[in-house]
Amino acid sequence: MAIFEGSYFSDALRRGASFSVYLPNDIGPEGHTKYFDRPTKVLFLLHGYTGTRADWIKDTSILSLAARYNLALVCPSGENSFYLDGEETGRQYQTYVGQELVEYVRKTFGLSSRREDTFIGGISMGGFGAVHTGLAYPETFSKIVSLSAALIVHKVAAMKPDDLNLDGIANYAYYRLMFGEPEKLLESRNNPEVLVRELMEKGSPLPALYLAIGTEDFLYEDNQIFRRFLEAQNFPFTYREGPGVHDYNFWNPQIDSSLRWLMDEEDGKQGTDIGDI
């Protein structure tokens, strides 16, 4: 895989923004699979809370999988933003990831501009960001992969100013900065449930959605709330669960499985599987 480390001035963030791109354009004919008979597809990968854009490459085997599937990877730095647009100047992370960066790397690297070739995925905070961004830009992203997503909007909405932290991670002031006023969160567009309702009401094209969570993960019940919501809305999605906590021991097999799902392979299932919803 060819590796490009870059930065450009982002209007959304009002500063230089760094990102990494991995392209399967240096793989010789001996490494070509059937997936090289069609144009290269693109997967935007979002890191988790306290993470960096290097996490996906450092801690997983995704590069070898991307090479097999003729899949370009784009890894932005999202800091601890939850990939949401803030009111403050220079904090439009949703716009940066879902619109500005997409347009920039398509133009710069000649990547496909077709919806059916463009995916987004993430882990933990990045899993939330992938769900939210994919739903906010359904005309851009055709598929979403979300592993152990921090779908914590109901917890955040219940926070009070004197709450010291949520799940031992961050305090009320942090979540208010990321999500807006907690008491208004469930009705705001920072809540993925609101975006789902909007898409369903408009009859808009729906991104395909892959959710996976370990049964011992501290975010398990948050994912069940979202899962039950999707079922109630008749929003189609694929769901996987199995033994595991919030770590790469659970995520690595799911990365393999989810990429198979992205490629429409029927055998894209690993570990305990309760099936498609």
Side-chain angles (χ1 to χ4, degrees):
M1 296 284 283
I3 304 171
F4 298 89
E5 301 287 348
S7 66
Y8 72 101
F9 185 84
S10 165
D11 285 332
L13 302 183
R14 300 307 300 162
R15 57 175 171 78
S18 300
F19 63 94
S20 304
V21 176
Y22 302 85
L23 297 177
N25 63 0
D26 62 346
I27 298 172
E30 68 281 0
H32 284 196
T33 63
K34 64 181 181 180
Y35 301 98
F36 284 81
D37 294 332
R38 46 98 171 134
T40 301
K41 296 181 182 293
V42 188
L43 173 60
F44 288 78
L45 289 171
L46 310 185
H47 65 76
Y49 180 77
T50 72
T52 74
R53 69 182 190 273
D55 291 352
W56 277 95
I57 308 308
K58 175 171 59 75
D59 296 320
T60 80
S61 59
I62 197 165
L63 278 185
S64 61
L65 295 170
R68 178 196 308 168
Y69 293 127
N70 188 20
L71 182 67
L73 307 176
V74 181
C75 302
S77 292
E79 302 176 356
N80 291 335
S81 66
F82 270 82
Y83 304 93
L84 294 171
D85 278 354
E87 294 183 0
E88 302 82 5
T89 298
R91 285 200 58 252
Q92 281 63 56
Y93 285 91
Q94 172 193 308
T95 301
Y96 165 59
V97 171
Q99 180 177 329
E100 185 184 81
L101 183 62
V102 173
E103 294 172 357
Y104 184 84
V105 297
R106 282 174 170 175
K107 178 180 179 181
T108 303
F109 295 95
L111 297 175
S112 174
S113 61
R114 301 195 309 168
R115 177 181 185 266
E116 57 266 38
D117 292 338
T118 309
F119 315 132
I120 191 166
I123 287 174
S124 194
M125 181 192 77
F128 173 92
V131 169
H132 185 270
T133 308
L135 293 172
Y137 298 96
E139 71 285 354
T140 298
F141 302 102
S142 61
K143 292 185 177 182
I144 302 165
V145 170
S146 182
L147 308 182
S148 302
L151 294 161
I152 57 174
V153 290
H154 290 274
K155 285 180 180 175
V156 173
M159 291 188 79
K160 304 301 180 186
D162 58 350
D163 288 342
L164 296 179
N165 61 60
L166 177 62
D167 291 328
I169 293 173
N171 63 13
Y172 175 89
Y174 165 77
Y175 288 109
R176 181 180 60 189
L177 179 63
M178 296 304 111
F179 288 92
E181 294 298 332
E183 63 270 21
K184 299 178 182 179
L185 172 56
L186 295 184
E187 302 307 317
S188 84
R189 298 189 85 249
N190 286 339
N191 179 5
E193 295 175 3
V194 171
L195 301 183
V196 167
R197 292 193 188 99
E198 289 180 358
L199 293 179
M200 299 295 286
E201 291 171 1
K202 293 177 181 177
S204 302
L206 304 178
L209 176 59
Y210 181 106
L211 298 173
I213 184 75
T215 51
E216 289 74 46
D217 195 310
F218 72 97
L219 295 171
Y220 181 77
E221 184 52 37
D222 301 294
N223 278 254
Q224 301 317 299
I225 291 171
F226 189 59
R227 176 188 167 197
R228 291 191 289 268
F229 168 79
L230 294 175
E231 291 172 342
Q233 296 294 317
N234 291 317
F235 188 102
F237 65 102
T238 295
Y239 177 81
R240 304 277 186 259
E241 70 172 43
V245 296
H246 202 75
D247 64 17
Y248 284 95
N249 291 323
F250 177 78
W251 297 330
N252 271 309
Q254 285 298 327
I255 290 169
D256 188 12
S257 178
S258 63
L259 290 193
R260 291 176 182 270
W261 174 82
L262 284 178
M263 298 299 117
D264 297 315
E265 289 194 356
E266 292 297 322
D267 61 344
K269 302 176 182 179
Q270 293 196 10
T272 303
D273 175 16
I274 68 169
D276 292 354
I277 303 297

